[in-house]
Amino acid sequence: MSSDLTVIVLAAGGGTRMKSQTAKVLHQIAGRSMIDHVLTAVRALDPHQVVAVVGHQREQVGPHIQALMPEVTLAVQDEQRGTGHAVRVAVEAAGTTSGTVLVAAGDTPLLRGESLRDFAQEHEAAQCAVSVLSGVVDEPFGYGRIVRNHEGDVEAIVEEKDANAEQRGIREISSGILAFDAEFLIEALPRLGNDNAKGEYYLTDTVGLARDAGLTVGAFPIDDWRQTEGANDRVQLAELGRELNRRIVEQWMRDGVTVMDPATTWVDADVTLAPDVILLPGTQLLGATTVAEDAVVGPDTTLKDCEIGAGARVVRAHGELAVIGAGAVVGPFSYMRPGTELGPGGKIGAFVETKNSRIGDGAKVPHLSYVGDADVGAGSNLGAGTITANYDGFNKNRTTIGRDVRIGVDTMLIAPVEVGDSAYTGAGAVIKDDVPEGALAVSENAQRNIDGYAADKAAKMREEQDT
Ligand code: UD1
Ligand code: CA
């Protein structure tokens, strides 16, 4: 492929059918915006230059694109006068003069870099002035039709609204992805007219111009048409989201991951899974989550930006920015908030919430606890109902628990507080002061039994009813 490749991504359109405050190309599937998926495909071509055309909601779209691809050139199209006009704006902004120019849209999230590369290579090998990535579909409605002559050469692309009845019957359609010889493109763009059904400057009219000039025009069909499909409303967004997820999950299965129920398993594009991971139904792995070999996740678990160690087991849990060590056990019904780090062989059990805490190797928080802003040493055990009272009404304070500590059930640790190695706390203790290494801390009040209380109470209630 030519080393002199310019890619133009069109993203100026309004996206009115989304009915959203968020620009169309910023809507997400598989954890990335639509335009992020397109730019990822574009990046695989290693282009000399990338130009993004922005217009509608450009105060959102522009910075988003720049954050994803700092080297991008942004071209502003103030008024959306058609794809031909958009490309003209882009070419002027980029100062493109030679090589190959590839034009794609920003709303086709299933697009793959390999497909763009194959298309650009076909275009260059056939020495075309202009080429279109086409597709043969059952329902061509709405798309530009590829009109071929008797020899099969491409004559024109005719838009839906401009097509006659015969042309509407053509099932080969334009994906909207086109490739150009830059010199031809620069010469053709000012010659495009807008005397058509939409009153727009159609980029696709360059095909007719090339034909008239006796230049070579190519139409190269893609087998996997869905890669070129755009999402114009939220119904299509969900459909493409489901299809992309199906593809991602299928690829992980081919790479050695067991997925019991692909239909209820959602894996974002940036997730990494090792061979022999097992995903049970209802699992969502989001963001940059990684799962190491032999770990079992699910059922009914959502993990965002988490790191799960080899052989760990995570059952019915919700986690974000948590790191779970090898062989550790989590769940069921555990809530791991950002900054949770569970060491190898450790446990975060049922109805336990953790936040910004390091729980050491083999340490366990088995039941009904809140552990926030705490350090728990290796081998320690926190009894049922342990609470770190980390907030004093003004500041968040840390609780530090040493190694091999035994915290009794229902202990309240009023931070800042430190419990030394191998220390104990009694059931129901309220720990406000540091506990020395090896000590037992108790703080309960003496118990008093009031005999006959139930009968006295019943009598009192009868009396009140009578008066
Ligand atoms: C376009 C093609 C059509 C093709 C279809 C595939 C033209 C004239 N038609 O039609 O042959 O079958 O895509 O989906 O090219 N845009 C701008 N500025 C503009 C106009 C559009 O940036 O002034 C962007 C839009 O945001 C969108 C893309 O270009 O991402 C395509 O524009 P759209 O108006 O949706 O074209 P279609 O009618 O779908
Ligand atoms: Ca469109």
Side-chain angles (χ1 to χ4, degrees):
M1 213 169 73
S2 129
S3 58
D4 193 2
L5 175 69
T6 299
V7 180
I8 298 172
V9 179
L10 303 182
T16 39
R17 279 181 282 164
M18 281 288 177
K19 299 196 176 146
S20 178
Q21 297 293 320
T22 302
K24 176 167 87 166
V25 295
L26 266 52
H27 282 261
Q28 293 199 347
I29 60 174
R32 290 184 188 159
S33 66
M34 290 204 274
I35 192 127
D36 191 355
H37 288 289
V38 172
L39 293 175
T40 301
V42 167
R43 207 177 279 117
L45 301 178
D46 195 18
H48 177 64
Q49 192 169 23
V50 180
V51 192
V53 182
V54 295
H56 273 282
Q57 293 165 298
R58 65 170 177 266
E59 65 293 340
Q60 285 178 26
V61 180
H64 179 79
I65 292 174
Q66 279 172 316
L68 294 167
M69 195 182 258
E71 69 275 21
V72 77
T73 302
L74 287 186
V76 176
Q77 188 193 23
D78 283 313
E79 215 187 317
Q80 279 67 64
R81 296 162 68 191
T83 50
H85 178 252
V87 168
R88 194 169 172 184
V89 168
V91 166
E92 277 163 15
T96 310
T97 53
S98 62
T100 296
V101 178
L102 195 62
V103 179
D107 66 348
T108 55
L110 268 56
L111 189 62
R112 307 282 307 174
E114 306 90 81
S115 306
L116 279 182
R117 180 190 302 274
D118 290 348
F119 171 57
Q121 275 168 352
E122 285 174 308
H123 161 79
E124 287 178 1
Q127 295 189 309
C128 296
V130 49
S131 301
V132 55
L133 183 64
S134 69
V136 179
V137 298
D138 292 333
E139 287 171 26
F141 180 81
Y143 291 100
R145 307 298 202 282
I146 310 290
V147 181
R148 293 182 186 260
N149 67 15
H150 292 302
E151 279 82 55
D153 298 330
V154 180
E155 301 257 87
I157 298 177
V158 181
E159 295 301 308
E160 174 75 37
K161 286 191 173 154
D162 300 289
N164 60 35
E166 190 192 340
Q167 289 165 336
R168 287 202 177 115
I170 297 171
R171 288 172 50 238
E172 187 181 4
I173 59 179
S174 160
S175 66
I177 297 170
L178 289 95
F180 297 90
D181 169 63
E183 281 158 38
F184 162 72
L185 180 66
I186 289 159
E187 175 268 323
L189 286 172
R191 295 199 284 126
L192 291 175
N194 64 351
D195 181 16
N196 51 49
K198 284 170 96 177
E200 286 186 358
Y201 296 90
Y202 293 162
L203 184 63
T204 42
D205 282 350
T206 53
V207 167
L209 293 179
R211 271 308 281 190
D212 293 345
L215 299 168
T216 312
V217 176
F220 303 103
I222 184 171
D223 291 333
D224 182 14
W225 174 252
R226 301 214 75 171
Q227 285 192 35
T228 70
E229 275 183 347
N232 296 303
D233 60 29
R234 300 193 203 224
V235 175
Q236 291 170 341
L237 186 72
E239 280 168 0
L240 289 180
R242 191 175 52 213
E243 175 61 15
L244 181 54
N245 185 63
R246 195 189 65 73
R247 292 175 179 213
I248 291 170
V249 170
E250 182 175 312
Q251 187 58 50
W252 283 120
M253 291 192 285
R254 296 202 187 284
D255 290 345
V257 173
T258 294
V259 180
M260 190 184 272
D261 182 15
T264 63
T265 302
W266 292 80
V267 179
D268 275 356
D270 292 316
V271 167
T272 310
L273 306 174
D276 287 321
V277 161
I278 297 177
L279 304 181
L280 299 178
T283 294
Q284 289 177 287
L285 301 178
L286 309 178
T289 294
T290 64
V291 185
E293 61 278 1
D294 299 318
V296 183
V297 181
D300 301 330
T301 293
T302 299
L303 300 173
K304 183 167 190 227
D305 299 322
C306 289
E307 196 181 315
I308 308 300
R313 181 84 183 83
V314 182
V315 187
R316 288 184 210 284
H318 188 104
E320 192 167 340
L321 283 166
V323 180
I324 304 305
V329 175
V330 173
F333 310 111
S334 312
Y335 179 27
M336 296 167 289
R337 292 166 54 199
T340 296
E341 284 178 39
L342 178 62
K347 177 168 186 166
I348 293 176
F351 304 105
V352 172
E353 175 178 339
T354 57
K355 183 211 85 173
N356 192 24
S357 292
R358 276 193 300 269
I359 300 168
D361 297 12
K364 295 185 166 64
V365 191
H367 347 261
L368 296 161
S369 292
Y370 172 65
V371 179
D373 301 306
D375 294 282
V376 179
S380 290
N381 188 85
L382 276 54
T386 297
I387 303 288
T388 55
N390 57 328
Y391 184 56
D392 60 13
F394 299 96
N395 297 302
K396 297 280 170 66
N397 299 300
R398 280 199 91 76
T399 299
T400 307
I401 296 171
R403 303 173 65 91
D404 300 315
V405 168
R406 294 287 172 270
I407 299 290
V409 296
D410 204 23
T411 294
M412 198 174 324
L413 297 146
I414 315 284
V417 74
E418 225 176 299
V419 180
D421 293 347
S422 306
Y424 288 73
T425 69
V430 177
I431 305 297
K432 295 179 177 159
D433 301 319
D434 291 353
V435 181
E437 183 177 337
L440 166 66
V442 290
S443 72
E444 73 268 28
N445 296 318
Q447 181 174 327
R448 210 156 53 92
N449 294 337
I450 301 169
D451 289 328
Y453 173 80
D456 288 354
K457 184 178 180 204
K460 208 175 252 170
M461 282 176 76
R462 271 196 305 275
E463 230 169 75
E464 270 173 25
Q465 262 168 18
D466 295 344
T467 56

